[in-house]
Amino acid sequence: MNPTLLNDEAWMLRALTLATRGAALAHPNPIVGAILIKNGKVIGEGFHDYDRRDHAEIVALKQAGKNARGATLYVTLEPCCTTGRTGPCTKAIIAAGIKKVVAAMRDPNPAVSGKGLAELRRSGIQVVSGVLEKQAQHLNEDFARWIKTQLPLVTLKTAVTLDGQIAQKAGSVTRITSQHSRDAVQRLRHEADALLTGIGTVLADNPRMSDRTGEPRRRPLLRAIVDSRLRTPLRSNLVKSAQHDVVIFTAQSPDSPKARALTRAGVEVVRVPARQGLADLRAVIRELGRRQILGVLLEAGAGLNGAALQAGIVDKMILFYAPKIMGTGGVPMAQIPSSWFTKSPSLKNLRLTEYGSDFVVTGYFHDVYKR
């Protein structure tokens, strides 16, 4: 393999690792890492933190100062060429005298895509694009989905036995996977902007739906419940812990006595259109997108899982399989009529990983970079 490419990949891998430090800190902007290299040494690096305003490239340039002239910039996302909360990064890169820019991927934002790299090339900077592109795209798949459609990326996550069941009986709590898997789920929660569950899970599990990683977040994790008939108990853990970070989507009036009681407890009650007597899940997802929620982690029971799949709102699935058999009488992963099987979409781009004794299957219904 070309030694230059190997060197570029090594530095880009470091930039990608740096970018992950922006998880839960960068949204609604993309997660980005940048490194400046000169004479084989790092002279500046940075990642994007929304509240600190500067994009990753600017953080690295400020660290390097005048030493940036003649350096190579490795950045996980195409530098922006538009003015928003900050000025265009392309202008700053050109003014700093950067010799070469290596970008992992184009910006999925239609207002930027390809234009930032083209501007750098016109200025005489050597530009290389596509280095570790797949890894970079994975970091910002939720941003890509949202910036193109104003809808969040919806990931259905569940723990399941080898025979496809999630609980021993309806309404029961069944611990299925290992501690390794449960730790991985907390990381998924940290990376998400919102958790979404159904009233069935609230009544059966009484969850808190919290991010227990202990890592910093720019915005509180939004905890959302689909509760068509407004049955969420006022004494539930979600309501008792609400600090204006719990929202209930319902088909009932927000002026009802129950809705007013929930509101007094710090819960936001949002009425959405009904579809066959239940809250319209597509309307729920549109509202979350309007709130600049980029990534939604669906942690629910068979009822909402099935409804979400049938409504076509699920983009990605993460299935934590325990090497166990539940046997007859268990609860399936999703309640879906068998007639749906003939039109069920297939998961693509499957990936298999291990967490302790469990194995995890990840796949996509939609390619967010082509939608």
Side-chain angles (χ1 to χ4, degrees), residues 79-82 87-95 115-117 119-120 125:
C80 68
C81 56
T82 57
C89 289
T90 50
K91 302 295 185 189
I93 292 167
I94 294 166
K115 299 172 185 176
L117 297 178
E119 182 178 339
L120 295 175
I125 294 175

Side-chain angles (χ1 to χ4, degrees), residues 295-355:
V296 173
L297 188 62
L298 176 59
E299 294 191 17
L304 186 56
N305 284 347
L309 288 167
Q310 291 179 88
I313 66 168
V314 179
D315 299 293
K316 178 180 178 181
M317 290 185 72
I318 304 178
L319 305 176
F320 286 79
Y321 277 96
K324 302 174 183 177
I325 301 293
M326 184 77 71
T328 58
V331 179
M333 185 196 76
Q335 289 177 351
I336 301 176
S338 58
S339 58
W340 189 71
F341 177 76
T342 56
K343 55 185 177 183
S344 171
S346 298
L347 284 174
K348 303 176 180 65
N349 300 323
L350 295 177
R351 185 172 73 252
L352 183 66
T353 51
E354 293 185 23
Y355 288 101

Side-chain angles (χ1 to χ4, degrees), residues 63 93 108 130 132 137 143 174 200 202 223 228 236 241 273 316 321:
Q63 278 189 16
I93 292 167
L132 300 187
Q137 288 179 337
F143 173 76
T174 307
V202 173
R223 299 175 289 168
S228 299
S236 65
S241 63
K316 178 180 178 181
Y321 277 96

Side-chain angles (χ1 to χ4, degrees), residues 71-210:
T72 296
L73 171 67
Y74 291 88
V75 61
T76 60
L77 184 71
E78 174 181 10
C80 68
C81 56
T82 57
T83 299
R85 296 171 72 238
T86 63
C89 289
T90 50
K91 302 295 185 189
I93 292 167
I94 294 166
I98 298 302
K99 176 182 67 175
K100 178 181 176 182
V101 172
V102 182
M105 61 176 284
R106 285 190 175 193
D107 193 325
N109 184 350
V112 177
S113 186
K115 299 172 185 176
L117 297 178
E119 182 178 339
L120 295 175
R121 288 191 179 99
R122 286 196 301 270
S123 74
I125 294 175
Q126 181 185 353
V127 174
V128 177
S129 181
V131 176
L132 300 187
E133 182 179 39
K134 292 295 184 184
Q135 292 92 320
Q137 288 179 337
H138 175 71
L139 281 182
N140 280 305
E141 59 191 14
D142 47 9
F143 173 76
R145 171 73 164 141
W146 181 80
I147 199 67
K148 291 182 176 185
T149 66
Q150 296 300 290
L151 298 173
L153 181 86
V154 178
T155 301
L156 190 162
K157 184 281 303 177
T158 192
V160 64
T161 60
L162 293 177
D163 51 347
Q165 300 183 68
I166 60 174
Q168 288 181 302
K169 61 181 180 179
S172 69
V173 179
T174 307
R175 180 163 287 186
I176 292 175
T177 52
S178 67
Q179 186 62 50
H180 289 87
S181 291
R182 293 194 288 276
D183 291 343
V185 168
Q186 288 302 316
R187 185 65 197 175
L188 291 174
R189 288 184 177 186
H190 180 69
E191 294 170 353
D193 295 321
L195 298 183
L196 180 64
T197 196
I199 182 59
T201 298
V202 173
L203 296 175
D205 297 357
N206 193 21
R208 293 184 182 276
M209 295 172 64
S210 56

Side-chain angles (χ1 to χ4, degrees), residues 222-271:
L222 183 66
R223 299 175 289 168
I225 309 165
V226 179
D227 181 3
S228 299
R229 290 181 285 166
L230 218 53
R231 294 183 292 152
T232 300
L234 292 171
R235 298 300 300 167
S236 65
N237 285 328
L238 280 166
V239 175
K240 288 193 296 182
S241 63
Q243 295 182 327
H244 304 287
D245 58 349
V246 175
V247 58
I248 294 177
F249 293 101
T250 183
Q252 303 298 308
S253 170
D255 294 324
S256 68
K258 179 64 175 290
R260 290 198 296 269
L262 288 166
T263 301
R264 288 194 296 271
V267 174
E268 183 181 4
V269 178
V270 176
R271 187 179 190 177

